[in-house]
Amino acid sequence: MLICMCFLIAVIPVSMWKLIVIYYVLMVAIRLLILFRLAFTYLAAMQSVFGSTSISLHLDLLIILVASSVLLLVEFEKSVFGTRSKINSGF
């Protein structure tokens, strides 16, 4: 195992290692945010501290559907019209 790791360290450039670390940190942060959101929404102790109520699974799925549709629409718009950075718009 150690030999494999040494080989990988020698083969993969430093910039790639930075990307791997950034990706790993990003995935940990996303998982923590999802965990905290679920705790805030569904745990009774968190609801009593913050004065919130849980939402139904139907509303939770609707929130995910709307958020993902906005993401898909924005990405589609970027692919069709390109980004503004290609054109010097003065910003």
Side-chain angles (χ1 to χ4, degrees):
M1 181 75 176
L2 183 61
I3 295 172
C4 292
M5 289 302 294
C6 291
F7 177 74
L8 284 175
I9 290 171
V11 171
I12 299 176
V14 174
S15 61
M16 183 61 98
W17 281 112
K18 288 180 183 177
L19 289 176
I20 291 170
V21 169
I22 289 170
Y23 177 78
Y24 176 76
V25 170
L26 182 64
M27 290 298 112
V28 168
I30 288 172
R31 288 183 182 117
L32 283 173
L33 285 173
I34 290 171
L35 181 70
F36 288 143
R37 182 205 169 271
L38 290 173
F40 177 80
T41 305
Y42 296 111
L43 288 180
M46 296 290 278
Q47 291 174 357
S48 65
V49 169
F50 292 105
S52 64
T53 60
S54 62
I55 57 176
S56 67
L57 181 62
H58 176 341
L59 286 177
D60 215 4
L61 292 175
L62 186 63
I63 291 168
I64 293 170
L65 178 70
V66 169
S68 60
S69 66
V70 169
L71 173 70
L72 290 174
L73 287 172
V74 168
E75 292 300 321
F76 176 72
E77 179 189 15
K78 287 191 321 190
S79 69
V80 170
F81 297 111
T83 59
R84 299 291 291 177
S85 63
K86 292 180 183 177
I87 302 170
N88 187 3
S89 61
F91 292 108

